[in-house]
Each structure stands twice: as C-alpha cells, then as structure tokens.
Amino acid sequence: MLTFLHISDTHISVDPKTGSHELFAAAPHPNRCAEALVDAIRQLPFQIDFILHTGDVCADPLPENYRLALEILRRLEQPLILLPGNHDSLDLMREVLPDGERRRVVGDDHITIMGYHLLTIDGSGADNPLAPTLAEPQIERFAAEASRTQGQPILVAAHYPFIRTGVPWIDDQSRVQNGERIHDILARRRGQVAGVFFGHIHQAVSSVCDGVAYICSPSAWSNFAGYPGMRSAEADPGTPGGFNLVMIRENRSFIRRFFTPANDLS
C-alpha cells in the first residue's frame, strides 16, 4: 500500500520576467504557482508517504534559482524525490537541494520505497533537450535494474513521455524518441508495473499501452493543450496548475487530480 503525490514542472526562477513568452502570457509567475502548490499540499487532510517531482524544478539551471527552489520546497514536510528536467542541471540540483534526509535528487537510479522499486530515468543530458534519444548504455542499465526487481512492484519516473500519443507536437518534439525501447522492457513486466510517472508536456493526461499505465502530472505553473493533429504546443488557460494524488493498493492504482485555485493567483 502506497500513497504519494506526483508534481512536476514548477519552473521556479528569480527572474521576474520568466514566462514572458506568449505561450505563458496568461499564467502567473511560476514562483507564485509553486508557493500555491506547497500551500495546497500542506493543507491536505490525509497522510502521504512521499512526493515525487518529475522535473523542470527551475526555469533555468542557475544556482540562485535552486536556492530559491529550496526556500519554497523545504516547507514540504514529506520526503521529496526530485528528478531533473530539460530546464535543470542534475549537478546543481545535487549540490543545492538535498538535505540527506527528506529531499533526495535522483538521475538514473533504483531505490526501494516500502516494498516498491522506483526506477528513474534522467533524459536531461541527452542530445535533444526537448525530445531526447536515450543512449544504448542507459537503456541497458534500465533493463538490468528492472530485472533486479524479482517480480516485486515497480514504479517508473521520468521527465519525458515514452510512448506515442497521436498528438504530433508531443510525439515529434517532446517525447523520448526511442521511448519504445523502455516501453518494451516494461511491457514484459506489465504485471509488476504500478505506473510510469512523467511531466514535461504540461497537461493532466493518462494513457495505457500494452497494460502499462502512463500518468502525466499537470504543471504546477502553466498547462498546454493536446488534441489530434496539433503540431505545436498551445496554452490551455482553462487548466490551472495542479498535482496528482496516487494511491496504490495491491493490484489497483487510483489517480486523482488536484488543481490550485486560479483566482487566488490573478
């Protein structure tokens, strides 16, 4: 039995002009959204085991941004696992954010939490920061770690989606381009995989492929639209920032979306 929160794409920044691009014009500054996210989590009336952040902690990989992120995120009382995104630096995250107890930064890692194997994949240093192709040694390492789980339940965390969605801007510009290789590894263990959790595409979506569930957290800041034939990302101002509640009970997974009130940030 496991209960955790899945958050992503906070894009914290000391720059007051962060988000000035037209794609984010309708959104508040990401810091205000990150603070609202933390406030919402602190007010939840139930206990959680940990919080998983699937990347783009900061808008730019600068030490001052991570120091600000630490100031905001340290108010979370639960253990926090952070994975880098394409806007992040894994080295800087490891330098600034961990505290040796509650906050842990992961890259290509395999950690055990309450009987579940959490396998994490870092695509942030790959060839294309928006739509990376994983190197063969990275895929081989993931396969080896998956084989070490010995039939026990698996959670997978990454910043990027692996499988095709039918939305061209996601599939061609914002997905792991050889993500099918990871999916094939997981599909052979579909009975073990409780879920694959990711961010990057800034939308609250879920999909199932070959019995493997893929769950994306909404961005804590600004969300994007996705529909058939869509060739470039567009803002989805009707969807505020938010996060996922994940409840895993034996062979069942229950996901609920929480959204932070947009009116409070205007």
Side-chain angles (χ1 to χ4, degrees):
M1 185 170 71
L2 202 63
T3 302
F4 66 94
L5 301 183
H6 175 201
I7 66 177
S8 199
D9 296 271
T10 45
H11 290 256
I12 295 166
S13 176
V14 298
D15 185 352
K17 296 183 179 180
T18 294
S20 58
H21 186 279
E22 61 182 10
L23 189 59
F24 310 106
H29 192 277
N31 297 355
R32 298 178 64 195
C33 297
E35 291 164 352
L37 173 76
V38 170
D39 288 341
I41 292 173
R42 286 173 56 86
Q43 295 174 29
L44 292 175
F46 50 84
Q47 298 295 314
I48 58 174
D49 298 310
F50 65 94
I51 301 170
L52 174 67
H53 192 315
T54 52
D56 281 359
V57 175
C58 291
D60 296 289
L62 302 172
E64 55 267 35
N65 285 343
Y66 290 109
R67 287 193 288 268
L68 177 58
L70 176 60
E71 182 180 330
I72 294 172
L73 296 175
R74 75 190 336 164
R75 294 177 54 225
L76 294 171
E77 299 175 354
Q78 302 86 353
L80 177 61
I81 300 169
L82 302 111
L83 187 73
N86 55 293
H87 286 266
D88 288 314
S89 161
L90 178 59
D91 289 341
L92 279 175
M93 287 175 63
R94 283 177 167 161
E95 179 181 332
V96 177
L97 296 178
D99 67 351
E101 183 178 351
R102 282 191 300 140
R103 290 183 304 278
R104 180 169 183 172
V105 173
V106 295
D108 292 321
D109 282 297
H110 177 176
I111 59 180
T112 303
I113 305 174
M114 299 175 64
Y116 288 80
H117 294 267
L118 175 62
L119 307 182
T120 61
I121 300 177
D122 174 22
S124 64
D127 56 340
N128 181 338
L130 288 177
T133 298
L134 298 179
E136 192 64 28
Q138 194 172 15
I139 297 173
E140 291 174 354
R141 182 188 184 284
F142 182 83
E145 294 301 322
S147 69
R148 292 180 53 223
T149 59
Q150 300 180 337
Q152 296 174 321
I154 295 173
L155 305 169
V156 178
H159 181 60
Y160 305 86
F162 294 124
I163 60 171
R164 292 187 176 275
T165 63
V167 181
W169 78 262
I170 296 176
D171 296 344
D172 302 332
Q173 304 168 34
S174 298
R175 180 185 68 93
V176 173
Q177 295 301 286
N178 57 348
E180 291 82 3
R181 297 284 304 282
I182 299 296
H183 173 73
D184 289 344
I185 295 168
L186 297 175
R188 291 194 293 270
R189 294 171 172 80
R190 62 174 62 87
Q192 292 177 250
V193 181
V196 180
F197 302 89
F198 64 97
H200 187 51
I201 59 173
H202 289 228
Q203 51 195 278
V205 294
S206 301
S207 59
V208 177
C209 182
D210 298 324
V212 179
Y214 291 84
I215 300 99
C216 184
S217 171
S219 168
W221 169 39
S222 175
N223 285 285
F224 300 157
Y227 50 78
M230 190 177 187
R231 299 203 169 274
S232 60
E234 296 178 7
D236 178 16
T239 300
F243 59 95
N244 290 337
L245 164 67
V246 183
M247 297 169 53
I248 300 175
R249 304 292 186 266
E250 298 177 346
N251 63 342
R252 308 184 308 278
S253 296
F254 175 84
I255 316 295
R256 184 180 177 219
R257 319 290 190 189
F258 282 77
F259 294 100
T260 52
N263 292 339
D264 293 350
L265 301 173
S266 57

